[in-house]
Amino acid sequence: MDSVDESQRTLYPYVTGSSVVAIKYKDGILMAADMGGSYGSTLRYKSVERLKPIGKHSLLGASGEISDFQEIMRYLDELILNDNMWDDGNSLGPKEVLNYLTRVMYNRRNKFNPLWNSLVLGGVKKGQKYLGTVNMIGINYEDNHVATGLGNHLARPILRDEWNENLTFEEGVRLLEKCMRVLLYRDRSAVNKIQISKITEEGATVFPPFSLKTYWEFSAFKNPTVGAEGSW
């Protein structure tokens, strides 16, 4: 009797990316993520691109397991190819792509074989800006600004205070840089190599990576346990 191989599943993520932060601005969508890839708690990779254009109208950012993100990109490449083959003058917009991703994530969750990612999907089609997110079990929502990972706890309070719908491109970039700087200070998985991308009616642009200006001379950074009870 032939032996049957056991099913292989991602039981726990191995190489992961940290937070993605995205906002609507006056002309479209802005998205930011660092380029770190953590092998457990080790920052093993420093040039992992996690922001990808999807078709003509959408931009995708992912945190979580990098190999599962690559699998999602294969699904999306096939989706866009099949859409283009119709050659009917229409193309999938960001809302349709996020609905597709929600079905994929929920389907895999129901098979107890989830894709270990949180995804951010933004885009512009026919003048309408769209920004939403979906997590590894298919929970999704849309908003004027979204974030994954620790960004949900550290970046979104900043965005709630400072975001407005008439932000220019330069103001939006400064706001995202502020969020990414806070995450760099507070998230052990963050790395100081940031990528920002935008998508407008004209299409998507992923800008070259850069480093943020930082300041590490705060007294709390120099001696974080001073005055703490029971500290060494």
Side-chain angles (χ1 to χ4, degrees), residues 157-195:
I158 298 171
L159 296 175
R160 290 187 188 106
D161 286 342
E162 301 187 21
W163 178 88
N164 69 77
E165 60 186 353
N166 295 315
L167 288 172
T168 65
F169 172 76
E170 291 78 13
E171 290 169 340
V173 168
R174 283 198 295 271
L175 181 55
L176 286 181
E177 286 181 353
K178 182 176 183 178
C179 293
M180 298 307 292
R181 186 175 291 108
V182 170
L183 287 168
L184 177 62
Y185 287 149
R186 297 298 180 186
D187 183 358
R188 70 168 187 180
S189 299
V191 62
N192 195 5
K193 189 177 182 182
I194 310 299
Q195 216 169 14

Side-chain angles (χ1 to χ4, degrees), residues 95-193:
K95 189 168 186 176
E96 292 80 31
V97 175
L98 186 66
N99 285 340
Y100 169 79
L101 288 172
T102 299
R103 296 300 94 212
V104 168
M105 303 300 269
Y106 186 64
N107 179 49
R108 290 288 294 262
R109 174 258 192 188
N110 285 342
K111 293 178 178 179
F112 294 91
N113 186 18
L115 295 161
W116 289 69
N117 297 100
S118 292
L119 306 172
V120 173
L121 196 288
V124 183
K125 186 177 181 183
K126 296 180 180 177
Q128 296 295 312
K129 293 175 281 190
Y130 183 86
L131 181 61
T133 181
V134 59
N135 69 5
M136 63 180 286
I137 59 174
I139 296 172
N140 68 97
Y141 63 91
E142 54 183 285
D143 205 343
N144 294 317
H145 46 77
V146 298
T148 65
L150 272 180
N152 251 329
H153 307 282
L154 301 179
R156 294 209 66 195
I158 298 171
L159 296 175
R160 290 187 188 106
D161 286 342
E162 301 187 21
W163 178 88
N164 69 77
E165 60 186 353
N166 295 315
L167 288 172
T168 65
F169 172 76
E170 291 78 13
E171 290 169 340
V173 168
R174 283 198 295 271
L175 181 55
L176 286 181
E177 286 181 353
K178 182 176 183 178
C179 293
M180 298 307 292
R181 186 175 291 108
V182 170
L183 287 168
L184 177 62
Y185 287 149
R186 297 298 180 186
D187 183 358
R188 70 168 187 180
S189 299
V191 62
N192 195 5
K193 189 177 182 182

